């Protein structure tokens, strides 16, 4: 977001009752801290930079006393080795996750087909680009 939009957002949140606006503001800031950390991917961040950004995120989550942010911090801690590998390499499993989602969707749509070969053929057609519709259903 551009600066003027952030300022407008924070002004709107400060105008809300404190019980509503404060938790939203803290959660939004924690999200921004996490995005700042993830934005270092593929930039060859040094250890100190990663450490500082991670500490800032954890500190905000701990100070917030919101169960959602504590759960998010726990999830980041659990997946930290994988997140760190992404920060250093920039490699994700997004392609395989997308293909898996397509396969599950096709399988759900094909539920009840009497011929398992047809289901396999539909899955292959949806997940490959070459010779669509001309695949052997083996």
């Amino acid at each position: 977001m551009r600066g003027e939009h952030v300022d407008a957002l924070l002004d709107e949140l400060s105008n809300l009752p404190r019980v509503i606006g404060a938790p939203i503001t803290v959660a939004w800031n924690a999200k921004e801290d996490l995005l700042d950390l993830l934005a270092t991917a593929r930039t060859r961040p040094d250890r100190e930079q990663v450490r500082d950004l991670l500490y800032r995120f954890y500190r905000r989550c701990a100070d917030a006393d919101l169960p959602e942010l504590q759960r998010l911090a726990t999830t980041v801690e659990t997946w930290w080795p994988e997140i760190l590998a992404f920060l250093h390499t920039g490699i994700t499993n997004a392609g395989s996750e997308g293909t898996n989602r397509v396969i599950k969707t096709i399988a759900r749509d094909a539920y009840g087909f009497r011929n398992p070969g047809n289901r396999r053929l539909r899955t292959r057609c949806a997940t490959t680009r070459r010779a669509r519709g001309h695949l052997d259903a083996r």
Side-chain angles (χ1 to χ4, degrees):
M1 290 177 77
R2 293 195 334 235
E4 61 268 13
H5 294 171
V6 172
D7 292 340
L9 173 70
L10 294 176
D11 288 343
E12 287 292 324
L13 288 172
S14 67
N15 292 334
L16 291 173
R18 182 163 173 72
V19 145
I20 297 170
I24 295 172
T25 303
V26 170
W28 187 80
N29 285 324
K31 183 254 322 175
E32 289 296 316
D33 288 343
L34 183 58
L35 288 178
D36 288 345
L37 174 64
L38 296 177
T40 63
R42 299 182 190 99
T43 64
R44 298 188 177 273
D46 59 359
R47 294 179 95 169
E48 291 78 22
Q49 181 185 13
V50 171
R51 182 199 64 213
D52 293 343
L53 291 169
L54 185 62
Y55 177 79
R56 188 173 75 187
F57 168 72
Y58 280 149
R59 174 63 27 212
R60 191 172 313 266
C61 290
D63 290 345
D65 197 32
L66 290 173
E68 296 84 3
L69 287 182
Q70 291 170 356
R71 194 166 47 245
L72 176 61
T74 301
T75 301
V76 168
E77 182 179 7
T78 301
W79 286 93
W80 181 246
E82 290 81 4
I83 294 170
L84 187 59
F86 165 69
L87 293 178
H88 288 298
T89 65
I91 298 172
T92 70
N93 65 341
S96 61
E97 289 292 338
T99 301
N100 190 37
R101 183 192 59 77
V102 169
I103 290 170
K104 287 183 177 184
T105 301
I106 295 296
R108 196 176 314 114
D109 292 345
Y111 183 77
F113 276 17
R114 293 176 187 213
N115 184 348
N118 286 344
R119 181 173 148 192
R120 281 194 299 274
L121 183 60
R122 285 181 67 153
T123 301
R124 255 195 226 158
C125 286
T127 57
T128 60
R129 291 188 177 161
R130 62 191 158 134
R132 276 185 211 245
H134 304 286
L135 298 173
D136 184 11
R138 292 185 224 179

